[in-house]
Amino acid sequence: MLYLVYILAGIVAGVVTGLAGLSAAVVITPLLVSVCGWQSYDAVTVALSADVLASLLTAYTYYKNRNIDLKNGMLVTITAFIGSIIGSYSGYLFSQSQPDGLGYISMATTIFLGIKFLVKPIEKGHDAKSGINQISKKKILQAMFLGCAIGWICGFTGSGGGILMLTVFTLLLGYNLKVAVGTSTMIMTLIALTGAISHISMGAILQPIPMLLVTIFCLIGAYVSAKFANKCEIKKLNRIVGTCLGILGIVTILIKLI
């Protein structure tokens, strides 16, 4: 039964990563904590590890379809990298006093993301090529500052980074959803890698077989969904992802409370 949960967690996490650039942790962490009884810090470590390859594969798929802003994305990556290191250490300290705290934060984040996609879908914005010339230096600096804060959040909770990056690239920098997803997953690759290494170095307990299952099926889900997303109508993507996340968040919290 647990192995089925690992497979399901990987597939669903890969799908939301490929479709909307969300961190795989918004799916993996709640399921491992609520259904499998994992400690939050260990669950976040597995989620971040799976997120590295899933985000990298997703970013590459969007890159092939010219839906990534490499120039501005790399600037935000630098500050996000710094924030993720500090966040990972903060998350470790928090997990010592509140072992289940990170899991509950991730579950609440999942529900919020689902509602956000359903109520306020992201449908407009410019493409990667035109965006490079239209974005002011002031907005780039603001995005870099927010990138650092997002990196901290992702390192601390193991989730939330993808949707927050998506918000920065759509609302602040004005990109359309596909470019925002592609660029945010590029950034999340490094953030997740930094977070995973930090968690492991600080003593997270690794379980090779569950981690391998989650990662493999997360990659499969990310590959298929990313190819679909680059051909799909944007509003439809918002509805699909919003519904899945809302249901998942509610179910995992109910299971944990029961």
Side-chain angles (χ1 to χ4, degrees):
M1 182 63 183
L2 289 179
Y3 288 117
L4 290 177
V5 175
Y6 299 145
I7 292 172
L8 176 64
I11 291 176
V12 178
V15 168
V16 297
T17 299
L19 287 180
L22 304 186
S23 169
V26 299
V27 175
I28 295 172
T29 301
L31 283 177
L32 294 187
V33 171
S34 62
V35 179
C36 303
W38 284 43
Q39 291 294 314
S40 298
Y41 200 72
D42 299 335
V44 169
T45 304
V46 172
L48 288 172
S49 300
D51 207 7
V52 174
L53 296 178
S55 293
L56 180 62
L57 181 59
T58 298
Y60 177 68
T61 303
Y62 278 81
Y63 174 76
K64 289 197 301 182
N65 288 275
R66 299 181 180 180
N67 284 320
I68 281 186
D69 178 359
L70 289 174
K71 180 181 177 181
N72 294 325
M74 288 305 297
L75 293 175
V76 179
T77 300
I78 295 173
T79 55
F81 171 74
I82 297 172
S84 65
I85 296 176
I86 301 173
S88 294
Y89 183 68
S90 301
Y92 172 74
L93 296 178
F94 181 75
S95 68
Q96 301 305 298
S97 59
Q98 299 291 335
D100 290 328
L102 296 182
Y104 282 119
I105 291 173
S106 184
M107 293 175 203
T109 302
T110 304
I111 296 176
F112 167 76
L113 298 181
I115 295 173
K116 195 271 179 188
F117 272 96
L118 288 172
V119 175
K120 198 172 183 180
I122 302 169
E123 301 180 52
K124 300 180 180 180
H126 44 251
D127 58 28
K129 185 177 181 180
S130 61
I132 294 177
N133 299 320
Q134 295 181 24
I135 300 173
S136 66
K137 291 183 178 180
K138 180 180 179 180
K139 287 189 175 182
I140 292 298
L141 290 175
Q142 291 174 339
M144 292 175 68
F145 174 78
L146 292 173
C148 183
I150 293 169
W152 183 90
I153 292 171
C154 187
F156 183 84
T157 67
S159 65
I163 187 59
L164 294 176
M165 283 295 179
L166 200 64
T167 302
V168 168
F169 281 102
T170 53
L171 299 184
L172 178 61
L173 301 184
Y175 284 113
N176 65 47
L177 181 58
K178 292 183 180 180
V179 176
V181 170
T183 307
S184 67
T185 51
M186 177 187 73
I187 297 171
M188 289 304 298
T189 301
L190 180 58
I191 294 178
L193 177 61
T194 304
I197 293 174
S198 299
H199 279 63
I200 293 172
S201 66
M202 281 183 250
I205 299 175
L206 300 180
Q207 299 185 39
I209 295 179
M211 180 177 287
L212 185 62
L213 282 174
V214 170
T215 301
I216 289 175
F217 284 94
C218 188
L219 278 172
I220 295 173
Y223 176 73
V224 174
S225 59
K227 292 191 68 174
F228 170 78
N230 277 277
K231 299 179 181 180
C232 185
E233 190 267 326
I234 292 178
K235 190 172 182 178
K236 184 178 180 180
L237 285 179
N238 280 270
R239 290 198 301 266
I240 294 173
V241 176
T243 301
C244 291
L245 289 181
I247 293 174
L248 177 66
I250 293 172
V251 169
T252 50
I253 285 184
L254 288 176
I255 292 175
K256 184 63 178 178
L257 292 176
I258 295 173

